[in-house]
Amino acid sequence: MTSVPCAAAAAMAEEERALLGPAGRQEDGGGSAATPSVLPAACDPRRLAHRLLVLSLMCFLGFGSYFCYDNPAALQTQVQRDMKVNTAQFMALYAWYSWPNVVLCFFGGFLIDRVFGIRLGTIIFSIFVCVGQVIFALGAILNTFWLMDVGRFIFGIGGESLAVAQNTYAVSWFKGKELNLVFGLQLSMARIGSTVNMNIMGWIYSRVQDLLGYTGPSTLGLTLMIGGVTCLFSLTCALILAYLDKRAEKLLCKEQGKTGEVIKLTDVKDFSLSLWLIFVICVCYYAAVFPFIGLGKVFFIEKFKFSSQEASAINSIVYIISAPMSPVFGLLVDKLGKNIIWVLCAVVTTLASHIMLAFTFWNPWIAMCLLGLAYSLLACALWPMVAFVVPEHQLGTAYGFMQSIQNLGLAIIAIAAGMILDTRGYLFLEVFFSACVCLSLIAVVMLYFVNHLTGGDLNWSAKKREKLQKAAETEKEI
Amino acid sequence: MQYNPGWNGSSVNLLHVRAVGRGDTLHYVWSSIGAPAALLVATASGSSALRLNWTRLLSPDPTGAVWIEPASSVVYSAAVVFTKVFEYSQTKMLEELFYPTYDLSDFSWDSVNGTLNHTALTAEFKGVPATDPGGSFSNGSLAFRVTAYEVGGRDGPLPSLLHTANSSKVEFVLAGVAPRGNSSRFALEVAMVEEPGVAQKLRSARSIDDEYTPTIFEMLSLVAESQNDSSPLSFLQWKATAYGSQTPRREDNIQCRSHSLQAANWSLPVSSLVHAYFGEGVGSTYTISAINISFGGEDGQVYQEKRYLSWSVLLGFGQPPKDTFSPLVISIMAVALGTPMVMLLVGSCVVFFAQRKRYSEYEPIN
């Protein structure tokens, strides 16, 4: 579930363009004088009350998929015990989620813009998520692990594209107004979904166990079915949102939202060295964070002797921290610029936290809080960098490509991590993750020097950027 | 390695393992006469030998039937006796319900002769209860697998304990034994006989290194220390895990807990070997301490499914071996951390010279 920062950043960049474009800032509540208000506030698409309703629907649209994405992590012990699978097979559940997205990242935008439209697209993706989760749960009930893999695959087809659809909706309803805030809220909601999942699934499992009186595949399946209710809830949100969007279209004569992504795979050969380095940073960094969280719960139980609840809590701290800190760091990076330095800080902090987890018995809360901070900072500093090194018309391709290889990296590393854990244990796993972060660090250092030597603008402070932008504008005017 | 030295017959089992070093000899004597036991004797002579009086040993009073010659060369001796296997289940009220205990001195043991492997230095003591009214052992058995080592190293199969040439491994195996309850768990009682002036200490060490025994961080050791200078004399060492499979993998791991060490003031079950060597003083002159090792976590289901349990423990003289980081881990960390540093240095130099060059190009304007 990593597309959000990317899609958000892409849309943010788009919004920036909109703001800087000739039209300038759009008038607030465009066309409010044209039609006399006869509808109550909550039903009037121009009024704040209605937009808040739409906003909450948008936020809950992604809740189900974020909730269910980390179901395996929350139930690792139960999954491994009931389905009798080793850790490598367990981690394949995450890999199967990532595989379809290696390809789909390029087509999500295309499907929404050209094939389905945003409304139908969102509903279809939500249905994929629901069906995927149901098959996942059925696989558990029928005690067939491969069916669970199939479920995760279908779930993955829907999940990532749904995030793109969610962002497209946000741009279409809030462009030029509260867009950054809306993105922030959506991101926070996603994190809340993951956090709630981490902390509640174990409890649901034990209740189901009490109800059935035994543990086994059917207990697991029933628990996952109950988790799937959140997907149904999100599907309902998608349906209501489609209705409201359609209605707003009629009332306000507004166009159906589009991602505006143009993907041309031939652009890949024009990518600069800097962009490739950014890709490396991205892949290696996320590979050391998400698979780690996938295996985290049992790690804290086995190495640090945490209780199940405590382990769930600490495993979700990364998400909890990133919910409030993402907007803060976003603002900070925007104000100060110097993106590479921030990325460097984030990577070094992550490295420190992995080394702490590997080589010490220090209270893991310290390391996990550091990881949470670093993760939030990286997302805010890394993704916008792409916009600086790629011409505008290639932005869609660059983001699509970045997501694609990120998913590829996640899928491979997830399986590798499972295999390493089974044969070599946690110390080696943490050393492996540290090595991944180090690779990412090497890429950051290289990026710094490449940028320095080629006179790139990645590491300028915000002030300098502004000055140069002004200079460029005046030059144009002349 | 010698089987029943000086006795023709395999109705009883006695295995003598001799490790000869420069100026010292270590004797391990394993026997299933009575409860299965191991006698550990360290001698300061390169030619010390084990002597047995078989008629005496097999008589009801075996005192003095086992001795070392020359007696003056004996530096230290101790014995480990595996006395009982408990089976119990935990009720919902967290009470422990005990089933009748299996007393290992009442077991009938198969001949070790057929299981001897003189190249791998292994042997297996396999037994079933002499009377088995419940039929739990009809398809199963209990066994102690003994491995002696010629050189230091590390076992291949899990838990991959590190061993020295001075140590031996014994593996407690419960295979196919039908549990008597739905959530039965087993516990093994191990008793140690020590010389006067020697104290047993149970140490639990948590290590960050689980590379050789994945996901197991706890290493327990029971060290016999001399009370004078607290120098370690002998040890039992084990990882806090048992495995539920003949080819153990990480996911077969069965939680293993050690209960506190207790001075045993009860009389030791008749273990002929111990009485034969230490004589009547066992329990008075020679102190006995005992520890229970229980297998199975919150739910004892792993055994129910697999019907197999194996737990390994290392016995030896001196200091228990300590794990260190593997060269692979060290080299990965060194390369991973070193490369960015080197790049930072090289990069700084390149940038520095590039800038100087650029400035120097402008200098001639003067």
Side-chain angles (χ1 to χ4, degrees):
Chain A
M1 279 307 192
T2 49
S3 74
V4 166
C6 156
M12 265 183 233
E14 193 167 293
E15 192 214 18
E16 246 164 51
R17 267 176 268 149
L19 289 175
L20 297 168
R25 233 166 249 281
Q26 284 177 338
E27 290 299 316
D28 193 59
S32 60
T35 37
S37 170
V38 285
L39 295 161
C43 306
D44 188 341
R46 287 157 302 168
R47 301 283 285 272
L48 183 66
H50 186 77
R51 290 227 308 274
L52 282 180
L53 175 73
V54 170
L55 173 61
S56 56
L57 284 172
M58 274 177 202
C59 287
F60 282 113
L61 185 63
F63 185 82
S65 72
Y66 283 103
F67 184 92
C68 293
Y69 170 71
D70 265 329
N71 272 179
L75 294 171
Q76 189 189 342
T77 11
Q78 290 90 336
V79 170
Q80 289 199 252
R81 187 187 57 209
D82 294 347
M83 304 305 295
K84 297 188 184 59
V85 289
N86 61 29
T87 318
Q89 287 167 301
F90 166 79
M91 285 308 274
L93 292 175
Y94 279 99
W96 277 110
Y97 174 91
S98 292
W99 290 127
N101 294 305
V102 175
V103 180
L104 225 61
C105 290
F106 294 110
F107 298 108
F110 174 78
L111 288 176
I112 289 173
D113 288 353
R114 305 283 168 79
V115 185
F116 302 127
I118 173 75
R119 292 190 281 268
L120 188 62
T122 310
I123 293 170
I124 289 173
F125 295 141
S126 298
I127 289 173
F128 264 105
V129 167
C130 282
V131 170
Q133 177 71 12
V134 168
I135 293 176
F136 182 52
L138 267 180
I141 290 175
L142 301 174
N143 199 5
T144 42
F145 194 72
W146 62 267
L147 198 60
M148 291 180 85
D149 284 336
V150 172
R152 286 293 283 187
F153 183 80
I154 296 171
F155 183 80
I157 293 175
E160 216 80 336
S161 309
L162 187 62
V164 177
Q166 198 185 6
N167 288 310
T168 314
Y169 258 132
V171 174
S172 124
W173 278 80
F174 297 95
K175 191 169 181 175
K177 286 162 198 152
E178 307 92 352
L179 190 57
N180 273 325
L181 181 71
V182 170
F183 279 137
L185 279 175
Q186 283 187 349
L187 208 65
S188 301
M189 202 59 199
R191 300 292 167 244
I192 291 170
S194 308
T195 309
V196 172
N197 158 67
M198 289 284 186
N199 290 293
I200 208 173
M201 285 312 279
W203 178 78
I204 294 179
Y205 185 92
S206 62
R207 293 320 300 262
V208 172
Q209 184 189 335
D210 288 344
L211 191 76
L212 295 178
Y214 58 88
T215 63
S218 44
T219 320
L220 180 69
L222 207 57
T223 311
L224 292 173
M225 273 305 180
I226 294 170
V229 170
T230 55
C231 294
L232 230 72
F233 171 67
S234 288
L235 177 61
T236 321
C237 288
L239 289 169
I240 300 173
L241 205 53
Y243 167 74
L244 290 179
D245 197 58
K246 182 104 184 163
R247 188 167 158 274
E249 187 182 57
K250 265 192 214 148
L251 285 176
L252 301 180
C253 308
K254 89 176 180 64
E255 255 182 83
Q256 186 160 222
K258 293 221 161 133
T259 61
E261 258 176 47
V262 185
I263 301 226
K264 254 176 77 188
L265 282 176
T266 47
D267 287 345
V268 172
K269 67 181 189 324
D270 300 328
F271 285 169
S272 62
L273 178 61
S274 299
L275 187 60
W276 286 108
L277 287 173
I278 291 174
F279 289 166
V280 173
I281 298 170
C282 170
V283 172
C284 296
Y285 185 87
Y286 283 106
V289 173
F290 288 100
F292 170 68
I293 291 175
L295 291 168
K297 190 177 171 184
V298 177
F299 171 66
F300 293 113
I301 293 175
E302 287 183 339
K303 179 160 180 181
F304 296 97
K305 302 260 175 208
F306 275 32
S307 72
S308 181
Q309 284 95 341
E310 254 185 310
S312 301
I314 191 171
N315 204 24
S316 56
I317 193 73
V318 172
Y319 294 143
I320 295 175
I321 288 179
S322 86
M325 288 319 278
S326 292
V328 174
F329 281 136
L331 208 67
L332 188 77
V333 175
D334 274 351
K335 288 277 174 244
L336 296 177
K338 296 223 171 261
N339 289 46
I340 300 186
I341 299 296
W342 292 120
V343 171
L344 187 70
C345 288
V347 172
V348 169
T349 312
T350 308
L351 181 61
S353 87
H354 267 303
I355 288 179
M356 256 188 245
L357 289 170
F359 293 104
T360 69
F361 277 112
W362 296 352
N363 194 332
W365 285 97
I366 305 168
M368 287 306 276
C369 288
L370 279 179
L371 185 64
L373 289 174
Y375 167 74
S376 322
L377 181 58
L378 184 107
C380 294
L382 181 70
W383 293 92
M385 278 208 296
V386 176
F388 295 128
V389 295
V390 165
E392 214 173 289
H393 66 274
Q394 291 181 348
L395 210 55
T397 317
Y399 275 124
F401 197 77
M402 190 161 168
Q403 250 181 297
S404 166
I405 56 171
Q406 187 196 343
N407 273 298
L408 186 69
L410 281 181
I412 294 169
I413 300 284
I415 294 176
M419 274 156 54
I420 289 174
L421 177 58
D422 278 336
T423 53
R424 295 261 173 176
Y426 282 115
L427 177 77
F428 203 88
L429 182 69
E430 278 299 315
V431 166
F432 171 71
F433 283 143
S434 304
C436 285
V437 180
C438 281
L439 211 59
S440 176
L441 183 62
I442 291 169
V444 180
V445 171
M446 275 175 78
L447 182 64
Y448 179 87
F449 288 120
V450 166
N451 181 61
H452 195 94
L453 290 174
T454 56
D457 56 355
L458 285 178
N459 213 17
W460 288 351
S461 66
K463 255 188 202 163
K464 194 172 176 188
R465 252 179 218 148
E466 207 175 311
K467 223 186 255 172
L468 283 162
Q469 211 155 37
K470 265 186 196 157
E473 266 168 38
T474 44
E475 215 167 82
K476 240 186 234 167
E477 273 170 30
I478 292 162
Chain B
M1 201 158 158
Q2 277 180 302
Y3 175 68
N4 287 359
W7 176 260
N8 297 324
S10 56
S11 58
V12 291
N13 294 314
L14 189 139
L15 186 71
H16 177 218
V17 182
R18 212 161 142 254
V20 184
R22 247 177 269 133
D24 61 351
T25 310
L26 305 175
H27 297 269
Y28 288 89
V29 185
W30 301 88
S31 169
S32 61
I33 305 168
L39 181 66
L40 288 76
V41 184
T43 61
S45 143
S47 59
S48 61
L50 178 78
R51 295 277 179 265
L52 295 160
N53 181 343
W54 279 97
T55 39
R56 193 127 190 222
L57 181 62
L58 298 177
S59 73
D61 177 27
T63 305
V66 177
W67 68 99
I68 299 284
E69 250 173 28
S72 57
S73 69
V74 174
V75 179
Y76 167 77
S77 52
V80 178
V81 189
F82 300 96
T83 46
K84 287 170 191 156
V85 171
F86 302 103
E87 184 181 353
Y88 62 100
S89 59
Q90 212 156 39
T91 58
K92 285 240 162 84
M93 318 296 287
L94 290 174
E95 289 163 353
E96 286 177 344
L97 175 73
F98 278 87
Y99 297 97
T101 305
Y102 296 116
D103 193 335
L104 296 183
S105 56
D106 292 340
F107 270 46
S108 63
W109 300 91
D110 293 354
S111 165
V112 172
N113 207 8
T115 66
L116 277 180
N117 184 334
H118 284 280
T119 48
L121 301 180
T122 57
E124 181 175 299
F125 294 83
K126 194 172 178 181
V128 292
T131 53
D132 185 22
S136 297
F137 276 81
S138 53
N139 284 322
S141 64
L142 183 152
F144 291 91
R145 265 184 220 142
V146 178
T147 310
Y149 298 108
E150 272 175 316
V151 287
R154 189 182 288 283
D155 280 346
L158 292 175
S160 309
L161 292 170
L162 181 70
H163 58 78
T164 60
N166 291 347
S167 51
S168 296
K169 184 184 76 169
V170 59
E171 195 183 344
F172 167 66
V173 180
L174 212 54
V177 177
R180 287 173 285 184
N182 282 331
S183 57
S184 271
R185 276 180 263 171
F186 292 92
L188 176 69
E189 186 187 71
V190 184
M192 271 78 47
V193 182
E194 291 293 342
E195 287 175 344
V198 174
Q200 290 276 358
K201 286 212 174 97
L202 179 65
R203 295 219 178 88
S204 157
R206 292 187 35 79
S207 142
I208 55 165
D209 192 357
D210 66 334
E211 190 183 345
Y212 301 106
T213 321
T215 75
I216 307 300
F217 294 93
E218 195 177 4
M219 172 80 98
L220 290 125
S221 43
L222 194 57
V223 182
E225 287 179 348
S226 150
Q227 276 170 336
N228 297 332
D229 53 357
S230 71
S231 60
L233 296 166
S234 72
F235 64 87
L236 292 183
Q237 188 187 41
W238 66 95
K239 293 257 183 172
T241 185
Y243 289 93
S245 163
Q246 265 160 311
T247 50
R249 288 165 306 166
R250 182 190 91 82
E251 56 265 34
D252 303 319
N253 117 51
I254 297 174
Q255 204 183 330
C256 153
R257 274 188 306 175
S258 313
H259 300 258
S260 59
L261 185 70
Q262 283 178 337
N265 44 12
W266 62 87
S267 64
L268 202 64
V270 190
S271 166
S272 304
L273 181 69
V274 172
H275 282 282
Y277 182 81
F278 290 100
E280 293 301 324
V282 175
S284 51
T285 325
Y286 300 100
T287 52
I288 306 173
S289 48
I291 187 169
N292 285 347
I293 318 285
S294 66
F295 309 103
E298 280 148 24
D299 46 352
Q301 280 184 334
V302 184
Y303 182 79
Q304 255 75 353
E305 281 163 20
K306 308 247 171 114
R307 294 273 172 105
Y308 190 87
L309 186 148
S310 101
W311 172 71
S312 303
V313 58
L314 196 72
L315 280 79
F317 294 96
Q319 189 79 32
K322 265 192 182 143
D323 273 332
T324 46
F325 289 133
S326 72
L328 189 59
V329 164
I330 294 170
S331 50
I332 289 178
M333 282 317 283
V335 171
L337 290 175
T339 319
M341 292 298 150
V342 169
M343 286 191 61
L344 210 60
L345 278 175
V346 171
S348 311
C349 293
V350 169
V351 168
F352 182 70
F353 284 115
Q355 268 175 352
R356 280 201 39 190
K357 206 176 160 196
R358 213 178 293 161
Y359 288 131
S360 63
E361 273 168 13
Y362 289 106
E363 261 172 352
I365 286 177
N366 185 33

